[in-house]
Amino acid sequence: ARILVGFEMEKGPAPKKGCRVIWNTKEIGNVTSAVNSPTLKKIIGLCYVPVSMRNPGTKFEIEISHGKLFTATVVETPFYKG
């Protein structure tokens, strides 16, 4: 089973819907949405991952273009708490 989680990225372009989520060289999910947040100064998004990877701080990679991988980290949502 998979669960929708929030993620953030410090580097790279914002992934598009459908980009593959990779962990340990295996595809484990996909991105549903992402955007570059000027307020938070990082990329934030949502993706599906296995339930076992739902904990904040869990790291994985997102394949963004032609096999380029960028590190992402699971974070709690909502992203901004004002």
Side-chain angles (χ1 to χ4, degrees), residues 8-11 35-44:
E8 66 182 28
M9 297 169 54
E10 300 290 333
K11 295 182 182 177
V35 66
N36 191 347
S37 170
T39 303
L40 300 175
K41 297 182 174 54
K42 57 184 78 174
I43 296 163
I44 56 173

Side-chain angles (χ1 to χ4, degrees), residues 54-65:
R54 72 182 182 273
N55 296 328
T58 301
K59 295 197 181 297
F60 53 83
E61 294 177 306
I62 297 176
E63 183 181 58
I64 295 183
S65 62

Side-chain angles (χ1 to χ4, degrees), residues 25 29 36 77:
T25 71
N36 191 347
T77 54

Side-chain angles (χ1 to χ4, degrees), residues 43-73:
I43 296 163
I44 56 173
L46 298 170
C47 68
Y48 282 102
V49 297
V51 174
S52 62
M53 297 189 70
R54 72 182 182 273
N55 296 328
T58 301
K59 295 197 181 297
F60 53 83
E61 294 177 306
I62 297 176
E63 183 181 58
I64 295 183
S65 62
H66 308 294
K68 289 187 181 176
L69 300 176
F70 294 89
T71 300
T73 306

